Amino acid sequence: MNKPIIGILTWRSGQKFAEPGYFRRLLQAGRELGAIVYLFAPQDVLPEDRRIRGFTPGHGRSWKSRLYAWPDIVIDRYRYYPTLRHVGYLPFRRQELFRYANSPLANKWSVYQVLAADEQMRRWLPETQIYRSSLLPDMLAKHSRVYIKPANGTGGRSILRIERIAGGFRIAGRTMRLRRVEGRLKTLPGLVRKVNKWVETEMLAKERCLIQQGLVLDLLPDRTVDLRLLIQKTADGQWDVTGQGIRMGRKNSSISNLHGGGKALPASRFLIPKFGRVRTRDILMDCHNLARRTAQTLEQHYGQMIEFGLDIGIDVKGEAWLIEVNPKPGREIFRKIGQHDRYRQSIRRPLEYAISLLRKDSQQTVEPAEEMAQADGPDEQARREAAYGAAEGQTAERVPSRE
């Protein structure tokens, strides 16, 4: 097989790219794997000439461009948000000009509905509904806290947390521009008016807004804590957990995102003092099971995928909850916690999988669609425990399954 040509679809304005540091490392990894890899945006495609205006790193922080051959396969890394800046993405993606390594994923509400339809997923899902002002009192009556979030949000933007407290309600959030918002309201009608104004202001494209059960994730006082887990396809097309880490938000922040001021720690280092070694291993294995089931369920519904970043809440009882699924995840958490080998692996894996798809094409083999996972037998359980140990950088010990 000739050198594979891999295009990376992303957003571009001039020489400004959405994830420049990550893309430089991704393109370097592609060269090391013997592939021709370049970035391009929808406006860079010349379909009549079957050519692409592609971009690769230049001197310093600059980018150089030239015309490239049509890609053999494309990895879609375009992070869509329903604003005028991104209005051309969805029509472009629907043209199906290329062979893609990953399929589009719908908004958070549609993803939630797909996952909730899977009986095995329901125990991991917090209650979520389309926001209506009439729902807010009911949700707060059932749950001590709730979240208001956009159906197409990303990066912790436009998320508002509401908590019941003595004498009223406390709100904390981040605007679309990640500006912090805090306040207290004494009455429910006042709260409803405040939230309605928030929804009107923050949902610029009149997109759907969600109201979600808030979880008791107070493993640290006054801080939002969650686990970011990355699950990716290996070169042979199997889902495998690359790793995970704990994210801790700033004090009284509604989000834990690292670019919102959060900090990161290795998962075991954070959880073992709180739950003990055996219980921590059990918790993380449950998170791995959650991740595999999520990936398999979504892939069966939406088509071929390459990776997912999962935000998983771990409550004070040690139970795992799926908060959010990101099909185009970041991986900076591995650098933050000093797992540089895992960071490099997380960059290479999508490329390795894309190259393996092309190799299969060249060998004219047809792989059957991956079946949904069946109930674990002893061998599969042992394999998953070994995978947990690998993701934590340690040797896994066999422990009884909770299921």
Side-chain angles (χ1 to χ4, degrees), residues 58-79:
H59 294 294
R61 296 185 177 183
S62 68
W63 297 86
K64 57 185 179 181
S65 68
R66 69 175 179 86
L67 290 178
Y68 283 88
W70 204 254
D72 298 312
I73 195 166
V74 169
I75 295 175
D76 184 350
R77 187 68 191 181
Y78 196 113
R79 289 180 164 180

Side-chain angles (χ1 to χ4, degrees), residues 12 16 48 54 109 115 147 159 168 176 201 209 252 259 267 302 363:
R12 177 179 69 80
K16 182 180 178 182
E48 294 183 359
W109 174 241
L115 295 176
Y147 282 85
I159 293 179
M176 188 177 297
T201 302
C209 182
N252 295 321
H259 57 258
Y302 291 106
Q363 296 166 359

Side-chain angles (χ1 to χ4, degrees), residues 146-288:
V146 299
Y147 282 85
I148 309 296
K149 59 173 65 175
N152 283 298
T154 184
R157 292 173 171 83
S158 303
I159 293 179
L160 187 68
R161 183 181 67 202
I162 306 165
E163 297 179 88
R164 281 192 282 110
I165 59 174
F169 307 91
R170 179 169 55 199
I171 62 172
R174 294 272 185 166
T175 67
M176 188 177 297
R177 299 184 182 278
L178 290 177
R179 181 175 63 85
R180 296 182 70 179
V181 174
E182 297 180 6
R184 293 172 182 254
L185 296 105
K186 293 182 178 180
T187 68
L188 185 57
L191 174 67
V192 171
R193 287 193 296 270
K194 181 74 172 180
V195 173
N196 286 344
K197 185 176 181 180
W198 170 276
V199 170
E200 182 181 352
T201 302
E202 289 296 314
M203 309 301 132
L204 295 181
K206 306 303 179 185
E207 61 175 315
R208 282 178 166 176
C209 182
L210 306 180
I211 182 168
Q212 187 175 78
Q213 169 190 352
L215 305 169
V216 183
L217 307 177
D218 300 336
L219 298 180
L220 285 178
D222 300 321
R223 294 182 185 270
T224 299
V225 177
D226 66 17
L227 182 139
R228 165 53 71 91
L229 181 149
L230 180 64
I231 186 167
Q232 298 176 294
K233 285 277 188 71
T234 61
D236 59 0
Q238 300 300 309
W239 286 108
D240 187 55
V241 175
T242 303
Q244 66 268 314
I246 290 289
R247 303 185 305 178
M248 300 176 295
R250 295 172 62 180
K251 192 169 183 179
N252 295 321
S253 174
S254 62
I255 62 174
S256 60
N257 300 63
L258 300 181
H259 57 258
K263 296 182 180 180
L265 279 175
S268 290
R269 184 189 303 173
F270 178 83
L271 294 172
I272 285 175
K274 301 180 183 305
F275 295 103
R277 189 173 299 276
V278 173
R279 179 68 172 135
T280 292
R281 187 161 54 246
D282 201 30
I283 290 169
L284 292 177
M285 285 176 58
D286 191 45
C287 291
H288 286 208

